Amino acid sequence: MLFNHTSGILLHISSLLGSFGIGDLGPDAYRWLDFLKAARVAWWQVLPVGPTGYGDSPYQSYSSFAGNPNLVSPQLIYEDGLIDIEHLERRPDFPSGRVDYSKVIEWKRGLFQVAYMRLKDVPQLHEEFEQFRSQQKAWLDDYSSFMTIKALEGEQPWIKWPASLRDRGPEAILEVRRHQTVTIGYHAFQQYLFFRQWSRLRARMQELGIGLIGDLPIYVAEDSADVWCARHLFELDQQGRPIRIAGVPPDMFSATGQRWGNPLYRWDVHRQQNFAWWLTRLRGVLGMVDVLRLDHFRGFGNYYAVPASEPTAKNGVWELGPGEDFFKTVNTKLGGLPLIAEDLGGEGEPLVINLRDKFGLPGMKLFQFAFDEDMHHKFLPHNYPENCVAYTGTHDNDTTTGWFAGAPETERKLCLEYLNSDGRHIAWDMLRRLWASPADLTVGPLQDFLELGTEARMNYPGTPTGNWTWRVTSDQLTDELGVKIRELNLAASRAT
């Protein structure tokens, strides 16, 4: 088994404690690791960590390979001697308990500019930076050029750039690289800071024996360096506009479906190239984490294609994905599949379930889904197989307390009866029952351990703005909570 009957907590890095407007890779991340260790928690699960754009969604990144500069720690930049203490002391008055992304981005931009100008004064870091640029050249040059041109073009998406830049004309790109060396270097420098801090945090995790579960969206953002650099791998017209886009049909989250907008893959071309682009992508992300959750796993079996001209996702069609060929190639080339199949969208679909089981991948179970009368038996904890990862809910669900407060009366009644609960501490009642299940790994969002309501929800699927802002506060992350989680792990034989 991949997880050996252990437990984890889902908490995105942006939601960590900290004094600089957003959770980051600095001292409070290390304190979080100490909290997990004391609570005898084996796994920390995070959301994607790529650079975010419109809507600040971790699932709409400018690059599959780059890190999010918003998550870089100002404290660690100061300790590296690249900024002064006054820069930290003059930070804005950030709100408590949520992220104000525009304020964070604007302030950190100034810090990065100062740090980059001072880099030459710290020879060791300057040398490390040059080595980083050389080692990561395969993706870093294109990403840094993409971000530079994007700034020059008023942050417009790449399909609206002048044709010579949109189409990556060699002379136009060479001219940008010749005349914008400082700005290109500045974007590369931000990546150096991110991966320097990431590597240090990962080393500490390994010392403590805490594993990291990452998250890989199946699709990439239309406005990304990935698509700009590899248009032939996506369903695009000659001007780079999507022909068909990704989404899901109407479901419990949305009556009109979810029109994600991501361009679809030309899977025939990927297959002809032996999935080389995907292998590079997976190698990059798996080099950063221990296990990877494959978001929207069902898309590898079959996927929903929506004409880009459609205003909703109602009128799409199902197409076959790359299926077994993809996972056979990944298994052969990468030497294993440390993957979690996010199979919830394909629950009950034989094509998807057979693909998951053929390669022995753990699927996902959500306890909150257990009380829909049409499907509850699949998600009740006593029916879980060992080879699965079981959650109370994920970032796309309401918190358990919030879900229960707003659930139909029939679901609330089924829930209380199943748990033999009076409902006063429904989140902890569900956590205890989940932890007692056969599932090889159980995971709860930190919000559920804190018994928080809908105000702490991370994401409303299908809603493009206003998400991803929740943060834990210092009065919530207490020693008493750590003891309570440790006792839960000990009682369920999940303690490390």
Side-chain angles (χ1 to χ4, degrees), residues 184-216:
I184 289 172
Y186 165 72
H187 286 290
F189 173 67
Q190 292 178 56
Q191 293 305 303
Y192 162 70
L193 291 176
F194 176 90
F195 282 98
R196 172 179 167 79
Q197 294 185 7
W198 185 271
S199 297
R200 290 171 61 183
L201 188 66
R202 289 285 291 135
R204 180 58 179 160
M205 294 186 73
Q206 289 161 7
E207 289 174 4
L208 295 174
I210 296 171
L212 184 63
I213 300 173
D215 196 330
L216 186 71

PDB file of all heavy atoms in Angstrom, residues 184-216:
ATOM      1  N   ILE A 184      13.505  39.721 -18.263  1.00  0.00           N
ATOM      2  CA  ILE A 184      13.509  38.266 -18.365  1.00  0.00           C
ATOM      3  C   ILE A 184      14.262  37.670 -17.176  1.00  0.00           C
ATOM      4  O   ILE A 184      13.823  36.691 -16.559  1.00  0.00           O
ATOM      5  CB  ILE A 184      14.124  37.816 -19.708  1.00  0.00           C
ATOM      6  CG1 ILE A 184      13.157  38.156 -20.856  1.00  0.00           C
ATOM      7  CG2 ILE A 184      14.445  36.326 -19.700  1.00  0.00           C
ATOM      8  CD1 ILE A 184      13.731  37.933 -22.238  1.00  0.00           C
ATOM      9  N   GLY A 185      15.391  38.275 -16.837  1.00  0.00           N
ATOM     10  CA  GLY A 185      16.150  37.811 -15.683  1.00  0.00           C
ATOM     11  C   GLY A 185      15.375  37.974 -14.390  1.00  0.00           C
ATOM     12  O   GLY A 185      15.465  37.133 -13.482  1.00  0.00           O
ATOM     13  N   TYR A 186      14.603  39.042 -14.303  1.00  0.00           N
ATOM     14  CA  TYR A 186      13.794  39.298 -13.111  1.00  0.00           C
ATOM     15  C   TYR A 186      12.764  38.189 -12.902  1.00  0.00           C
ATOM     16  O   TYR A 186      12.569  37.715 -11.776  1.00  0.00           O
ATOM     17  CB  TYR A 186      13.111  40.654 -13.271  1.00  0.00           C
ATOM     18  CG  TYR A 186      11.979  40.928 -12.316  1.00  0.00           C
ATOM     19  CD1 TYR A 186      12.223  41.183 -10.967  1.00  0.00           C
ATOM     20  CD2 TYR A 186      10.663  40.968 -12.774  1.00  0.00           C
ATOM     21  CE1 TYR A 186      11.182  41.467 -10.093  1.00  0.00           C
ATOM     22  CE2 TYR A 186       9.618  41.257 -11.908  1.00  0.00           C
ATOM     23  CZ  TYR A 186       9.874  41.494 -10.575  1.00  0.00           C
ATOM     24  OH  TYR A 186       8.842  41.769  -9.716  1.00  0.00           O
ATOM     25  N   HIS A 187      12.107  37.744 -13.961  1.00  0.00           N
ATOM     26  CA  HIS A 187      11.134  36.661 -13.828  1.00  0.00           C
ATOM     27  C   HIS A 187      11.830  35.340 -13.503  1.00  0.00           C
ATOM     28  O   HIS A 187      11.305  34.535 -12.715  1.00  0.00           O
ATOM     29  CB  HIS A 187      10.298  36.548 -15.101  1.00  0.00           C
ATOM     30  CG  HIS A 187       9.287  37.644 -15.236  1.00  0.00           C
ATOM     31  ND1 HIS A 187       8.181  37.734 -14.432  1.00  0.00           N
ATOM     32  CD2 HIS A 187       9.246  38.722 -16.077  1.00  0.00           C
ATOM     33  CE1 HIS A 187       7.470  38.804 -14.766  1.00  0.00           C
ATOM     34  NE2 HIS A 187       8.103  39.427 -15.750  1.00  0.00           N
ATOM     35  N   ALA A 188      12.996  35.113 -14.079  1.00  0.00           N
ATOM     36  CA  ALA A 188      13.761  33.912 -13.739  1.00  0.00           C
ATOM     37  C   ALA A 188      14.199  33.951 -12.272  1.00  0.00           C
ATOM     38  O   ALA A 188      14.204  32.917 -11.583  1.00  0.00           O
ATOM     39  CB  ALA A 188      14.975  33.788 -14.654  1.00  0.00           C
ATOM     40  N   PHE A 189      14.544  35.134 -11.788  1.00  0.00           N
ATOM     41  CA  PHE A 189      14.967  35.299 -10.403  1.00  0.00           C
ATOM     42  C   PHE A 189      13.849  34.928  -9.428  1.00  0.00           C
ATOM     43  O   PHE A 189      14.092  34.289  -8.393  1.00  0.00           O
ATOM     44  CB  PHE A 189      15.418  36.744 -10.188  1.00  0.00           C
ATOM     45  CG  PHE A 189      15.716  37.096  -8.761  1.00  0.00           C
ATOM     46  CD1 PHE A 189      16.789  36.530  -8.098  1.00  0.00           C
ATOM     47  CD2 PHE A 189      14.912  38.007  -8.083  1.00  0.00           C
ATOM     48  CE1 PHE A 189      17.071  36.866  -6.772  1.00  0.00           C
ATOM     49  CE2 PHE A 189      15.181  38.354  -6.765  1.00  0.00           C
ATOM     50  CZ  PHE A 189      16.263  37.778  -6.111  1.00  0.00           C
ATOM     51  N   GLN A 190      12.625  35.325  -9.716  1.00  0.00           N
ATOM     52  CA  GLN A 190      11.509  34.945  -8.867  1.00  0.00           C
ATOM     53  C   GLN A 190      11.389  33.414  -8.767  1.00  0.00           C
ATOM     54  O   GLN A 190      11.092  32.870  -7.702  1.00  0.00           O
ATOM     55  CB  GLN A 190      10.205  35.533  -9.405  1.00  0.00           C
ATOM     56  CG  GLN A 190      10.126  37.041  -9.302  1.00  0.00           C
ATOM     57  CD  GLN A 190       8.844  37.571  -9.897  1.00  0.00           C
ATOM     58  OE1 GLN A 190       7.754  37.173  -9.503  1.00  0.00           O
ATOM     59  NE2 GLN A 190       8.960  38.471 -10.861  1.00  0.00           N
ATOM     60  N   GLN A 191      11.628  32.750  -9.888  1.00  0.00           N
ATOM     61  CA  GLN A 191      11.581  31.286  -9.872  1.00  0.00           C
ATOM     62  C   GLN A 191      12.729  30.697  -9.057  1.00  0.00           C
ATOM     63  O   GLN A 191      12.558  29.695  -8.349  1.00  0.00           O
ATOM     64  CB  GLN A 191      11.598  30.745 -11.305  1.00  0.00           C
ATOM     65  CG  GLN A 191      10.348  31.072 -12.089  1.00  0.00           C
ATOM     66  CD  GLN A 191       9.104  30.597 -11.362  1.00  0.00           C
ATOM     67  OE1 GLN A 191       8.970  29.416 -11.041  1.00  0.00           O
ATOM     68  NE2 GLN A 191       8.186  31.512 -11.086  1.00  0.00           N
ATOM     69  N   TYR A 192      13.890  31.329  -9.146  1.00  0.00           N
ATOM     70  CA  TYR A 192      15.016  30.894  -8.320  1.00  0.00           C
ATOM     71  C   TYR A 192      14.670  30.992  -6.849  1.00  0.00           C
ATOM     72  O   TYR A 192      14.912  30.059  -6.072  1.00  0.00           O
ATOM     73  CB  TYR A 192      16.242  31.746  -8.646  1.00  0.00           C
ATOM     74  CG  TYR A 192      17.321  31.707  -7.594  1.00  0.00           C
ATOM     75  CD1 TYR A 192      18.079  30.553  -7.376  1.00  0.00           C
ATOM     76  CD2 TYR A 192      17.578  32.831  -6.796  1.00  0.00           C
ATOM     77  CE1 TYR A 192      19.064  30.522  -6.398  1.00  0.00           C
ATOM     78  CE2 TYR A 192      18.563  32.805  -5.828  1.00  0.00           C
ATOM     79  CZ  TYR A 192      19.301  31.652  -5.629  1.00  0.00           C
ATOM     80  OH  TYR A 192      20.277  31.617  -4.664  1.00  0.00           O
ATOM     81  N   LEU A 193      14.056  32.102  -6.431  1.00  0.00           N
ATOM     82  CA  LEU A 193      13.673  32.264  -5.034  1.00  0.00           C
ATOM     83  C   LEU A 193      12.673  31.192  -4.623  1.00  0.00           C
ATOM     84  O   LEU A 193      12.795  30.588  -3.548  1.00  0.00           O
ATOM     85  CB  LEU A 193      13.057  33.651  -4.810  1.00  0.00           C
ATOM     86  CG  LEU A 193      13.987  34.860  -4.917  1.00  0.00           C
ATOM     87  CD1 LEU A 193      13.181  36.147  -4.758  1.00  0.00           C
ATOM     88  CD2 LEU A 193      15.100  34.794  -3.877  1.00  0.00           C
ATOM     89  N   PHE A 194      11.678  30.968  -5.462  1.00  0.00           N
ATOM     90  CA  PHE A 194      10.653  29.977  -5.124  1.00  0.00           C
ATOM     91  C   PHE A 194      11.287  28.603  -4.929  1.00  0.00           C
ATOM     92  O   PHE A 194      11.053  27.929  -3.909  1.00  0.00           O
ATOM     93  CB  PHE A 194       9.585  29.912  -6.222  1.00  0.00           C
ATOM     94  CG  PHE A 194       8.562  28.837  -5.977  1.00  0.00           C
ATOM     95  CD1 PHE A 194       7.412  29.100  -5.249  1.00  0.00           C
ATOM     96  CD2 PHE A 194       8.752  27.542  -6.457  1.00  0.00           C
ATOM     97  CE1 PHE A 194       6.474  28.094  -4.997  1.00  0.00           C
ATOM     98  CE2 PHE A 194       7.826  26.531  -6.204  1.00  0.00           C
ATOM     99  CZ  PHE A 194       6.683  26.813  -5.483  1.00  0.00           C
ATOM    100  N   PHE A 195      12.058  28.146  -5.894  1.00  0.00           N
ATOM    101  CA  PHE A 195      12.593  26.781  -5.816  1.00  0.00           C
ATOM    102  C   PHE A 195      13.692  26.654  -4.769  1.00  0.00           C
ATOM    103  O   PHE A 195      13.867  25.563  -4.201  1.00  0.00           O
ATOM    104  CB  PHE A 195      13.076  26.323  -7.199  1.00  0.00           C
ATOM    105  CG  PHE A 195      11.940  25.916  -8.090  1.00  0.00           C
ATOM    106  CD1 PHE A 195      11.419  26.790  -9.029  1.00  0.00           C
ATOM    107  CD2 PHE A 195      11.357  24.666  -7.951  1.00  0.00           C
ATOM    108  CE1 PHE A 195      10.357  26.417  -9.835  1.00  0.00           C
ATOM    109  CE2 PHE A 195      10.290  24.283  -8.749  1.00  0.00           C
ATOM    110  CZ  PHE A 195       9.784  25.162  -9.695  1.00  0.00           C
ATOM    111  N   ARG A 196      14.390  27.730  -4.470  1.00  0.00           N
ATOM    112  CA  ARG A 196      15.355  27.702  -3.366  1.00  0.00           C
ATOM    113  C   ARG A 196      14.616  27.465  -2.049  1.00  0.00           C
ATOM    114  O   ARG A 196      15.001  26.616  -1.238  1.00  0.00           O
ATOM    115  CB  ARG A 196      16.127  29.020  -3.337  1.00  0.00           C
ATOM    116  CG  ARG A 196      17.049  29.219  -2.125  1.00  0.00           C
ATOM    117  CD  ARG A 196      17.767  30.561  -2.254  1.00  0.00           C
ATOM    118  NE  ARG A 196      18.426  30.953  -1.010  1.00  0.00           N
ATOM    119  CZ  ARG A 196      19.592  30.477  -0.583  1.00  0.00           C
ATOM    120  NH1 ARG A 196      20.234  29.558  -1.301  1.00  0.00           N
ATOM    121  NH2 ARG A 196      20.125  30.891   0.551  1.00  0.00           N
ATOM    122  N   GLN A 197      13.540  28.204  -1.839  1.00  0.00           N
ATOM    123  CA  GLN A 197      12.772  28.046  -0.606  1.00  0.00           C
ATOM    124  C   GLN A 197      12.020  26.719  -0.584  1.00  0.00           C
ATOM    125  O   GLN A 197      11.896  26.090   0.477  1.00  0.00           O
ATOM    126  CB  GLN A 197      11.810  29.228  -0.458  1.00  0.00           C
ATOM    127  CG  GLN A 197      12.518  30.556  -0.248  1.00  0.00           C
ATOM    128  CD  GLN A 197      11.567  31.715   0.008  1.00  0.00           C
ATOM    129  OE1 GLN A 197      10.356  31.524   0.154  1.00  0.00           O
ATOM    130  NE2 GLN A 197      12.100  32.926   0.078  1.00  0.00           N
ATOM    131  N   TRP A 198      11.518  26.307  -1.726  1.00  0.00           N
ATOM    132  CA  TRP A 198      10.815  25.022  -1.795  1.00  0.00           C
ATOM    133  C   TRP A 198      11.744  23.874  -1.406  1.00  0.00           C
ATOM    134  O   TRP A 198      11.369  22.987  -0.632  1.00  0.00           O
ATOM    135  CB  TRP A 198      10.270  24.806  -3.204  1.00  0.00           C
ATOM    136  CG  TRP A 198       9.435  23.570  -3.342  1.00  0.00           C
ATOM    137  CD1 TRP A 198       9.864  22.313  -3.665  1.00  0.00           C
ATOM    138  CD2 TRP A 198       8.018  23.466  -3.132  1.00  0.00           C
ATOM    139  NE1 TRP A 198       8.807  21.431  -3.686  1.00  0.00           N
ATOM    140  CE2 TRP A 198       7.666  22.109  -3.364  1.00  0.00           C
ATOM    141  CE3 TRP A 198       7.022  24.376  -2.788  1.00  0.00           C
ATOM    142  CZ2 TRP A 198       6.350  21.661  -3.256  1.00  0.00           C
ATOM    143  CZ3 TRP A 198       5.717  23.928  -2.683  1.00  0.00           C
ATOM    144  CH2 TRP A 198       5.392  22.593  -2.910  1.00  0.00           C
ATOM    145  N   SER A 199      12.946  23.876  -1.934  1.00  0.00           N
ATOM    146  CA  SER A 199      13.904  22.797  -1.660  1.00  0.00           C
ATOM    147  C   SER A 199      14.244  22.726  -0.174  1.00  0.00           C
ATOM    148  O   SER A 199      14.361  21.640   0.399  1.00  0.00           O
ATOM    149  CB  SER A 199      15.181  22.996  -2.482  1.00  0.00           C
ATOM    150  OG  SER A 199      14.902  22.918  -3.861  1.00  0.00           O
ATOM    151  N   ARG A 200      14.385  23.879   0.447  1.00  0.00           N
ATOM    152  CA  ARG A 200      14.704  23.902   1.880  1.00  0.00           C
ATOM    153  C   ARG A 200      13.545  23.342   2.707  1.00  0.00           C
ATOM    154  O   ARG A 200      13.757  22.583   3.656  1.00  0.00           O
ATOM    155  CB  ARG A 200      15.026  25.330   2.309  1.00  0.00           C
ATOM    156  CG  ARG A 200      16.341  25.854   1.748  1.00  0.00           C
ATOM    157  CD  ARG A 200      16.530  27.340   2.007  1.00  0.00           C
ATOM    158  NE  ARG A 200      16.550  27.669   3.428  1.00  0.00           N
ATOM    159  CZ  ARG A 200      16.644  28.910   3.897  1.00  0.00           C
ATOM    160  NH1 ARG A 200      16.731  29.931   3.051  1.00  0.00           N
ATOM    161  NH2 ARG A 200      16.662  29.140   5.187  1.00  0.00           N
ATOM    162  N   LEU A 201      12.330  23.708   2.346  1.00  0.00           N
ATOM    163  CA  LEU A 201      11.170  23.206   3.080  1.00  0.00           C
ATOM    164  C   LEU A 201      11.009  21.699   2.882  1.00  0.00           C
ATOM    165  O   LEU A 201      10.699  20.961   3.823  1.00  0.00           O
ATOM    166  CB  LEU A 201       9.903  23.933   2.618  1.00  0.00           C
ATOM    167  CG  LEU A 201       8.633  23.638   3.434  1.00  0.00           C
ATOM    168  CD1 LEU A 201       8.783  24.169   4.863  1.00  0.00           C
ATOM    169  CD2 LEU A 201       7.411  24.250   2.765  1.00  0.00           C
ATOM    170  N   ARG A 202      11.238  21.222   1.671  1.00  0.00           N
ATOM    171  CA  ARG A 202      11.139  19.789   1.392  1.00  0.00           C
ATOM    172  C   ARG A 202      12.197  19.007   2.175  1.00  0.00           C
ATOM    173  O   ARG A 202      11.940  17.898   2.658  1.00  0.00           O
ATOM    174  CB  ARG A 202      11.302  19.525  -0.106  1.00  0.00           C
ATOM    175  CG  ARG A 202      10.113  20.000  -0.922  1.00  0.00           C
ATOM    176  CD  ARG A 202       8.917  19.073  -0.762  1.00  0.00           C
ATOM    177  NE  ARG A 202       9.172  17.802  -1.399  1.00  0.00           N
ATOM    178  CZ  ARG A 202       8.917  16.620  -0.865  1.00  0.00           C
ATOM    179  NH1 ARG A 202       8.440  16.530   0.364  1.00  0.00           N
ATOM    180  NH2 ARG A 202       9.161  15.499  -1.522  1.00  0.00           N
ATOM    181  N   ALA A 203      13.374  19.581   2.317  1.00  0.00           N
ATOM    182  CA  ALA A 203      14.418  18.910   3.097  1.00  0.00           C
ATOM    183  C   ALA A 203      13.970  18.756   4.549  1.00  0.00           C
ATOM    184  O   ALA A 203      14.201  17.715   5.181  1.00  0.00           O
ATOM    185  CB  ALA A 203      15.725  19.697   3.010  1.00  0.00           C
ATOM    186  N   ARG A 204      13.320  19.771   5.078  1.00  0.00           N
ATOM    187  CA  ARG A 204      12.823  19.692   6.455  1.00  0.00           C
ATOM    188  C   ARG A 204      11.720  18.645   6.571  1.00  0.00           C
ATOM    189  O   ARG A 204      11.660  17.903   7.573  1.00  0.00           O
ATOM    190  CB  ARG A 204      12.307  21.062   6.897  1.00  0.00           C
ATOM    191  CG  ARG A 204      11.754  21.097   8.318  1.00  0.00           C
ATOM    192  CD  ARG A 204      12.784  20.658   9.337  1.00  0.00           C
ATOM    193  NE  ARG A 204      12.249  20.730  10.706  1.00  0.00           N
ATOM    194  CZ  ARG A 204      12.757  20.065  11.733  1.00  0.00           C
ATOM    195  NH1 ARG A 204      13.811  19.259  11.549  1.00  0.00           N
ATOM    196  NH2 ARG A 204      12.231  20.190  12.930  1.00  0.00           N
ATOM    197  N   MET A 205      10.865  18.548   5.579  1.00  0.00           N
ATOM    198  CA  MET A 205       9.819  17.537   5.595  1.00  0.00           C
ATOM    199  C   MET A 205      10.417  16.132   5.643  1.00  0.00           C
ATOM    200  O   MET A 205       9.940  15.248   6.372  1.00  0.00           O
ATOM    201  CB  MET A 205       8.927  17.674   4.360  1.00  0.00           C
ATOM    202  CG  MET A 205       8.116  18.954   4.332  1.00  0.00           C
ATOM    203  SD  MET A 205       6.942  19.000   2.951  1.00  0.00           S
ATOM    204  CE  MET A 205       5.732  17.822   3.543  1.00  0.00           C
ATOM    205  N   GLN A 206      11.457  15.932   4.870  1.00  0.00           N
ATOM    206  CA  GLN A 206      12.097  14.619   4.846  1.00  0.00           C
ATOM    207  C   GLN A 206      12.750  14.307   6.189  1.00  0.00           C
ATOM    208  O   GLN A 206      12.719  13.160   6.645  1.00  0.00           O
ATOM    209  CB  GLN A 206      13.114  14.571   3.700  1.00  0.00           C
ATOM    210  CG  GLN A 206      12.425  14.528   2.336  1.00  0.00           C
ATOM    211  CD  GLN A 206      13.325  14.945   1.183  1.00  0.00           C
ATOM    212  OE1 GLN A 206      14.531  15.155   1.373  1.00  0.00           O
ATOM    213  NE2 GLN A 206      12.755  15.056  -0.005  1.00  0.00           N
ATOM    214  N   GLU A 207      13.333  15.310   6.842  1.00  0.00           N
ATOM    215  CA  GLU A 207      13.897  15.104   8.178  1.00  0.00           C
ATOM    216  C   GLU A 207      12.830  14.659   9.169  1.00  0.00           C
ATOM    217  O   GLU A 207      13.075  13.810  10.035  1.00  0.00           O
ATOM    218  CB  GLU A 207      14.537  16.401   8.685  1.00  0.00           C
ATOM    219  CG  GLU A 207      15.820  16.794   7.981  1.00  0.00           C
ATOM    220  CD  GLU A 207      16.309  18.151   8.451  1.00  0.00           C
ATOM    221  OE1 GLU A 207      15.672  18.727   9.371  1.00  0.00           O
ATOM    222  OE2 GLU A 207      17.307  18.654   7.900  1.00  0.00           O
ATOM    223  N   LEU A 208      11.636  15.234   9.042  1.00  0.00           N
ATOM    224  CA  LEU A 208      10.541  14.937   9.970  1.00  0.00           C
ATOM    225  C   LEU A 208       9.729  13.709   9.566  1.00  0.00           C
ATOM    226  O   LEU A 208       8.873  13.254  10.327  1.00  0.00           O
ATOM    227  CB  LEU A 208       9.599  16.146  10.075  1.00  0.00           C
ATOM    228  CG  LEU A 208      10.196  17.424  10.680  1.00  0.00           C
ATOM    229  CD1 LEU A 208       9.201  18.572  10.579  1.00  0.00           C
ATOM    230  CD2 LEU A 208      10.597  17.189  12.133  1.00  0.00           C
ATOM    231  N   GLY A 209       9.963  13.202   8.383  1.00  0.00           N
ATOM    232  CA  GLY A 209       9.207  12.040   7.921  1.00  0.00           C
ATOM    233  C   GLY A 209       7.787  12.375   7.510  1.00  0.00           C
ATOM    234  O   GLY A 209       6.881  11.526   7.611  1.00  0.00           O
ATOM    235  N   ILE A 210       7.567  13.590   7.033  1.00  0.00           N
ATOM    236  CA  ILE A 210       6.244  14.018   6.582  1.00  0.00           C
ATOM    237  C   ILE A 210       6.230  14.026   5.059  1.00  0.00           C
ATOM    238  O   ILE A 210       7.094  14.633   4.420  1.00  0.00           O
ATOM    239  CB  ILE A 210       5.900  15.414   7.123  1.00  0.00           C
ATOM    240  CG1 ILE A 210       5.800  15.375   8.644  1.00  0.00           C
ATOM    241  CG2 ILE A 210       4.605  15.938   6.511  1.00  0.00           C
ATOM    242  CD1 ILE A 210       5.686  16.742   9.287  1.00  0.00           C
ATOM    243  N   GLY A 211       5.266  13.335   4.472  1.00  0.00           N
ATOM    244  CA  GLY A 211       5.152  13.274   3.025  1.00  0.00           C
ATOM    245  C   GLY A 211       4.305  14.414   2.480  1.00  0.00           C
ATOM    246  O   GLY A 211       3.431  14.943   3.166  1.00  0.00           O
ATOM    247  N   LEU A 212       4.557  14.787   1.233  1.00  0.00           N
ATOM    248  CA  LEU A 212       3.821  15.871   0.588  1.00  0.00           C
ATOM    249  C   LEU A 212       3.016  15.327  -0.588  1.00  0.00           C
ATOM    250  O   LEU A 212       3.568  14.662  -1.471  1.00  0.00           O
ATOM    251  CB  LEU A 212       4.782  16.953   0.103  1.00  0.00           C
ATOM    252  CG  LEU A 212       4.130  18.204  -0.502  1.00  0.00           C
ATOM    253  CD1 LEU A 212       3.291  18.935   0.545  1.00  0.00           C
ATOM    254  CD2 LEU A 212       5.184  19.135  -1.080  1.00  0.00           C
ATOM    255  N   ILE A 213       1.729  15.611  -0.581  1.00  0.00           N
ATOM    256  CA  ILE A 213       0.847  15.241  -1.686  1.00  0.00           C
ATOM    257  C   ILE A 213       0.575  16.498  -2.504  1.00  0.00           C
ATOM    258  O   ILE A 213       0.001  17.469  -2.001  1.00  0.00           O
ATOM    259  CB  ILE A 213      -0.480  14.649  -1.180  1.00  0.00           C
ATOM    260  CG1 ILE A 213      -0.213  13.400  -0.336  1.00  0.00           C
ATOM    261  CG2 ILE A 213      -1.403  14.323  -2.352  1.00  0.00           C
ATOM    262  CD1 ILE A 213      -1.460  12.849   0.346  1.00  0.00           C
ATOM    263  N   GLY A 214       1.012  16.478  -3.741  1.00  0.00           N
ATOM    264  CA  GLY A 214       0.771  17.596  -4.634  1.00  0.00           C
ATOM    265  C   GLY A 214      -0.479  17.372  -5.468  1.00  0.00           C
ATOM    266  O   GLY A 214      -1.199  16.382  -5.317  1.00  0.00           O
ATOM    267  N   ASP A 215      -0.744  18.291  -6.365  1.00  0.00           N
ATOM    268  CA  ASP A 215      -1.975  18.274  -7.144  1.00  0.00           C
ATOM    269  C   ASP A 215      -1.659  18.743  -8.561  1.00  0.00           C
ATOM    270  O   ASP A 215      -1.068  19.809  -8.744  1.00  0.00           O
ATOM    271  CB  ASP A 215      -3.007  19.201  -6.487  1.00  0.00           C
ATOM    272  CG  ASP A 215      -4.423  18.958  -6.991  1.00  0.00           C
ATOM    273  OD1 ASP A 215      -4.585  18.559  -8.151  1.00  0.00           O
ATOM    274  OD2 ASP A 215      -5.367  19.184  -6.211  1.00  0.00           O
ATOM    275  N   LEU A 216      -2.045  17.942  -9.552  1.00  0.00           N
ATOM    276  CA  LEU A 216      -1.777  18.297 -10.944  1.00  0.00           C
ATOM    277  C   LEU A 216      -3.084  18.404 -11.710  1.00  0.00           C
ATOM    278  O   LEU A 216      -3.769  17.406 -11.929  1.00  0.00           O
ATOM    279  CB  LEU A 216      -0.874  17.258 -11.610  1.00  0.00           C
ATOM    280  CG  LEU A 216      -0.428  17.623 -13.034  1.00  0.00           C
ATOM    281  CD1 LEU A 216       0.583  18.764 -12.989  1.00  0.00           C
ATOM    282  CD2 LEU A 216       0.173  16.418 -13.737  1.00  0.00           C
TER     283      LEU A 216
END
